[in-house]
Amino acid sequence: MKYSESIRDAQAVMMRQDKRVFVCGLGVPAPGEVFGSTRGLKEEFGDQRVFDTPASENGTLGVLLGASLQGMRPIMVNQRVDFFLLALDQLINHASKWKYMFAGRQEMSVLIRLIVGRGWGQGPQHSQSMHALFAHIPGLKVAAPATPYDAKGMIISALQEGGPVVMIEHRRLYDEAQDVPEGVYRVAFGQARVALEGKDVTLVASSHMVSEAKKAVRLLGLKGISAELIDLRSLRPLDVQTVYSSVKKTGHLVLVEGDWKPCSVSGEIIASLAEKDPGIFKSAPLRVMWPDMPAPTSAPLEEAFYPSVKDIGDACFKVLGRPGSVSEEESQEKVKFSGPF
Amino acid sequence: MPNDIFYDTHMKNKPTSYGRMPGIPDGKDLKRKLLRGMLRLRLIEERLSAIYHQADEIKTPMHLYTGQEAVAVGVCAALRPSDTVSPYHRSHGWYIAKGGDLNAMMAELMGKEAGCSGGWGGSMHLLDTAAGVMGSSSILAATVPHAVGAALAFQMKGEDRVAVAPAGDAAIEEGVFHESLNWASFKKLPVIFVCENNLYSTTTPLSARQPRVDIYKRAEAYGMPGHRCDGNDVGGVYAKAVEAVHRARRKEGPSLIEVMTYRWREHVGPHYDWDAGYRTKQEVEEWMEHCPIRALAAEFPAQEVQLLRDEFEKEIDESLAFARQAAFPRKETIKESIRV
Ligand SMILES: Cc1ncc(C[n+]2csc(CCOP(=O)(O)OP(=O)(O)O)c2C)c(N)n1
């Protein structure tokens, strides 16, 4: 099952078993069906539970929060995370705080699906991920699944547990496929996954960067370096312990994140480890992230902007203090996106 | 037809009318100016459609203006070079109509350094301050308050200038649109809100997003005049714009103009999308029947129109040649500091 299908499936499974769940957002039932992730839902569940909304992100989220206070379990879909920034007032001032303002007497429950774009001239307002922004806010749960299995399991957890949940979905993951169980299963928030075991260096990634890091691990293997890859899955709560155990073993840490460096999730991980056990590092950790500027549109600039698989591999050589690098040709991006998307 | 009410009441059998406004050249000169503006825009966009995927040289999501030419051309014809527009994602029409540089736009679409945004912006982010094209944004309604702010600055500095805030029909659904109207009205700012009502937001029809309340009527609630006009009648658009510009220059405050128009091609990209399933081919063809350019061109000798076409095609050839030979921005402009 593809990533997009697993998201669709999770929503369908939950709508079948829980009458409170409904899905809406601009373009949800429209042709294209949010890159396939809401395909057929309207046909199965009707237009009372699967519907389009006005282009009113803050208003829409506020309305959904109001519905959640009456016992509903809404899912709000946004074709780009960037558009959702208009709803930050309802998200940050209300959804995340509600439970705390009223001593737990009431809680706002909504699942917010945010899609991240990248490449093919998406430009500065269609390519942000905002991992760190959302992960900064207490009262929110933030998922950034890298696999179809996790995407489905985390949607189900979000809807069953309630509370405001932000799920960041990278568009480049949408076609990645994997076996996904039928029916209901959960993937817990705050539990990272060791995606690949290794002993020399720890690589930490989330979302699409897990796929990129995987490619780098393979190239490193060809050069005799064994890297352990940790997929964070959940950015809030953040599972620092799993990273800790891995770095305890390897002593070296490279973090790969599709986001900017200052105040990032990766920075938080390094800080947490340093607070816990400053002696854990045998070398200074390295972060492979975006340059400190918005993404440009021009193709060559864009290519220079996004770190490559080679950048990830080379960072591992560097923390290990070894000369050398992964080979240029092998790390070439194979994905040819014929945009726009 | 999902938007039959809007379509039937407001689009069918509308007489073409050309407004007479004091101090503005009328008659054939004006018509020729409007025809030139629309035809040039059409040919630019048609050429872009033709080459978009061909050589993969334009790597940027492109929202084409085909079919809506009368809006930007009609409104901008009522403006002075010193006035400003703050466009949105469907930005080519406003950029060109306001006097933006075609070479620079073509270079921008190809991501070149000579582009009007240095290659950093692409189709959705065009800028030409000399021509009064303030930067366009891809976030719905985001530039509407920018135009209000421009008008605020004009007022504070005592400048006789007018700002235009174009917005699609979906932008009307954003809170900031209404906040902007309120702002402009209580400050009596020289700004004109232009809603290009093309009946769809991406593929979602108006009827799935808004109650059947006419957009132009909402102006009244904010204490400003609201007008609606036929977007296939460039003269009518022009006349309404002139009225609003006069009002703004007389320091009487903002206006809202809703123009009923139609996007011929897909929301983003160069294709016709008859088979996408959200609108019928018949609906598109009916609008094409009412092509704003064809109606006006018919008033001129065919030979004259052909000469115009030849002139513009040549200009487009040259601008594309310019863009193709232009250099890409240097990769080093992406700071190296944070890379490994
Ligand atoms: C805040 C925000 N929400 C959603 C979008 C996604 N989006 C891009 S264009 C578009 C449709 C806009 O329709 P309209 O305003 O009528 O302009 P048109 O494209 O029809 O010219 C949408 C929903 C966006 N760009 N910004």
Side-chain angles (χ1 to χ4, degrees):
Chain A
M1 198 182 273
K2 285 185 190 172
Y3 192 89
S4 57
E5 292 161 346
S6 75
I7 293 170
R8 196 212 83 85
D9 187 49
Q11 296 170 114
V13 163
M14 287 307 291
M15 287 176 83
R16 263 173 231 140
Q17 77 158 216
D18 187 344
K19 288 268 172 294
R20 302 173 302 167
V21 179
F22 65 96
V23 186
C24 63
L26 203 46
V28 158
E33 298 170 300
V34 197
F35 313 118
S37 69
T38 58
R39 185 155 297 147
L41 293 182
K42 190 173 112 179
E43 286 66 31
E44 183 173 350
F45 300 101
D47 56 13
Q48 289 286 312
R49 291 177 77 194
V50 182
F51 55 90
D52 241 307
T53 55
S56 316
E57 290 77 6
N58 202 37
T60 297
L61 179 54
V63 168
L64 298 185
L65 294 177
S68 86
L69 294 179
Q70 300 305 324
M72 303 304 284
R73 278 273 194 276
I75 302 175
M76 175 179 180
V77 186
N78 298 266
Q79 306 248 2
R80 286 279 185 286
V81 52
D82 317 66
F83 309 155
F84 180 73
L85 298 182
L86 273 65
L88 289 188
D89 167 58
Q90 286 295 335
L91 182 76
I92 299 176
N93 285 329
H94 298 89
S96 70
K97 297 184 173 51
W98 205 256
K99 186 169 147 187
Y100 300 89
M101 291 196 289
F102 303 109
R105 288 181 176 83
Q106 241 188 2
E107 182 177 37
M108 288 175 153
S109 291
V110 62
L111 168 63
I112 298 159
R113 292 185 42 212
L114 303 175
I115 298 168
V116 179
R118 166 186 161 172
W120 216 87
Q122 290 296 302
Q125 297 175 332
H126 276 58
S127 58
Q128 303 171 92
S129 68
M130 295 292 152
H131 292 165
L133 177 76
F134 297 119
H136 184 61
I137 310 300
L140 291 182
K141 282 177 272 189
V142 183
T147 62
Y149 179 91
D150 287 348
K152 178 172 172 182
M154 292 184 96
I155 288 177
I156 292 170
S157 289
L159 292 169
Q160 289 189 342
E161 286 168 22
V165 177
V166 168
M167 178 156 131
I168 299 167
E169 305 162 10
H170 201 291
R171 181 68 180 85
R172 290 233 174 146
L173 289 171
Y174 263 44
D175 290 333
E176 293 199 7
Q178 174 187 39
D179 284 340
V180 171
E182 277 178 35
V184 174
Y185 67 91
R186 283 163 74 152
V187 170
F189 284 81
Q191 180 62 65
R193 173 179 73 100
V194 179
L196 296 169
E197 287 192 31
K199 57 182 178 28
D200 298 333
V201 54
T202 301
L203 264 169
V204 173
S206 58
S207 189
H208 175 53
M209 286 302 115
V210 174
S211 312
E212 300 290 275
K214 252 189 199 154
K215 295 178 200 158
V217 171
R218 199 182 59 79
L219 297 177
L220 287 164
L222 300 175
K223 302 270 177 165
I225 294 174
S226 152
E228 178 144 304
L229 173 61
I230 294 177
D231 171 4
L232 292 172
R233 307 202 280 199
S234 150
L235 305 180
R236 176 182 271 275
L238 187 61
D239 176 10
V240 177
Q241 187 56 44
T242 299
V243 182
Y244 178 80
S245 306
S246 176
V247 179
K248 190 91 191 152
K249 179 170 70 176
T250 65
H252 303 282
L253 176 62
V254 170
L255 305 106
V256 193
E257 193 181 349
D259 204 344
W260 294 291
K261 210 167 175 181
C263 309
S264 58
V265 171
S266 299
E268 177 60 27
I269 291 172
I270 296 172
S272 301
L273 294 185
E275 280 173 345
K276 197 177 163 88
D277 184 358
I280 194 176
F281 299 115
K282 290 189 204 144
S283 66
L286 263 184
R287 285 181 279 171
V288 183
M289 297 180 64
W290 295 343
D292 201 4
M293 57 175 62
T297 300
S298 177
L301 290 183
E302 194 175 56
E303 197 188 311
F305 179 86
Y306 291 108
S308 64
V309 171
K310 179 172 166 54
D311 289 330
I312 302 171
D314 290 355
C316 294
F317 273 95
K318 201 164 166 187
V319 293
L320 288 169
R322 289 210 211 163
S325 73
V326 300
S327 79
E328 186 87 53
E329 320 80 77
E330 286 221 65
S331 70
Q332 288 302 315
E333 261 277 37
K334 294 283 186 314
V335 222
K336 179 133 178 12
F337 231 99
S338 69
F341 71 90
Chain B
M1 211 178 294
N3 293 291
D4 49 340
I5 283 211
F6 294 97
Y7 185 82
D8 287 345
T9 350
H10 304 289
M11 301 314 306
K12 291 244 170 95
N13 311 318
K14 274 205 84 180
T16 304
S17 58
Y18 291 92
R20 284 178 176 279
M21 288 294 147
I24 307 281
D26 207 340
K28 275 285 180 199
D29 283 347
L30 172 62
K31 286 188 182 179
R32 189 171 284 110
K33 182 175 161 181
L34 296 172
L35 175 65
R36 282 184 65 93
M38 291 197 297
L39 188 60
R40 179 160 173 261
L41 198 45
R42 171 70 57 89
L43 295 177
I44 292 168
E45 297 281 79
E46 293 292 85
R47 182 73 74 89
L48 286 173
S49 300
I51 66 168
Y52 192 46
H53 284 314
Q54 235 173 40
D56 204 23
E57 58 191 347
I58 299 177
K59 290 194 178 77
T60 175
M62 199 164 73
H63 303 75
L64 293 168
Y65 205 61
T66 324
Q68 302 189 198
E69 294 86 354
V71 192
V73 169
V75 171
C76 290
L79 300 176
R80 296 175 187 161
S82 58
D83 297 330
T84 62
V85 301
S86 300
Y88 60 108
H89 59 273
R90 205 169 298 285
S91 56
H92 303 177
W94 291 95
Y95 178 89
I96 294 296
K98 187 61 181 64
D101 183 75
L102 180 60
N103 282 352
M105 184 176 98
M106 292 302 198
E108 186 59 36
L109 298 181
M110 294 188 193
K112 302 297 181 76
E113 194 163 19
C116 59
S117 314
W120 285 71
S123 165
M124 296 189 288
H125 307 295
L126 302 180
L127 178 80
D128 187 336
T129 48
V133 183
M134 309 316 287
S136 54
S137 165
S138 70
I139 303 299
L140 293 182
T143 52
V144 174
H146 299 177
V148 176
L152 176 69
F154 301 156
Q155 189 187 65
M156 292 173 88
K157 295 196 280 181
E159 293 173 348
D160 181 18
R161 298 166 72 185
V162 174
V164 174
D169 46 285
I172 274 47
E173 293 148 24
E174 296 288 2
V176 72
F177 179 81
H178 300 270
E179 296 173 31
S180 301
L181 261 62
N182 183 60
W183 241 100
S185 186
F186 99 92
K187 285 271 193 190
K188 278 203 180 331
L189 297 175
V191 54
I192 302 169
F193 301 98
V194 178
C195 175
E196 298 192 68
N197 188 347
N198 65 10
L199 309 174
Y200 293 92
S201 167
T202 310
T203 54
T204 304
L206 203 50
S207 55
R209 301 176 283 120
Q210 295 180 24
R212 291 195 160 170
V213 176
D214 298 318
I215 288 171
Y216 74 101
K217 286 185 185 157
R218 300 176 206 197
E220 196 191 332
Y222 292 103
M224 70 176 82
H227 308 284
R228 170 180 268 161
C229 47
D230 177 349
N232 289 329
D233 167 17
V234 68
V237 175
Y238 169 78
K240 287 295 175 220
V242 168
E243 209 176 309
V245 167
H246 279 297
R247 181 178 149 80
R249 293 206 202 284
R250 287 196 306 261
K251 306 194 185 347
E252 288 168 10
S255 314
L256 169 66
I257 303 173
E258 178 189 10
V259 187
M260 304 306 296
T261 184
Y262 203 76
R263 150 173 70 73
W264 289 11
R265 293 181 181 270
E266 59 190 333
H267 168 68
V268 52
H271 305 297
Y272 287 109
D273 60 354
W274 339 103
D275 46 7
Y278 70 99
R279 57 182 186 180
T280 62
K281 187 171 186 203
Q282 184 205 343
E283 178 182 304
V284 187
E285 283 172 348
E286 273 182 50
W287 282 89
M288 294 170 90
E289 270 304 298
H290 291 86
C291 170
I293 301 175
R294 203 202 302 160
L296 187 54
E299 299 186 27
F300 290 83
Q303 205 189 353
E304 188 178 339
V305 178
Q306 190 55 47
L307 282 176
L308 282 182
R309 283 183 170 275
D310 296 344
E311 176 192 335
F312 296 143
E313 294 289 8
K314 183 160 169 285
E315 185 197 5
I316 294 164
D317 286 340
E318 285 165 7
S319 68
L320 285 171
F322 168 83
R324 285 183 177 123
Q325 59 75 40
F328 280 110
R330 287 171 313 110
K331 287 189 182 183
E332 299 75 56
T333 52
I334 301 283
K335 287 182 205 144
E336 292 293 336
S337 59
I338 164 165
R339 301 293 299 282
V340 212

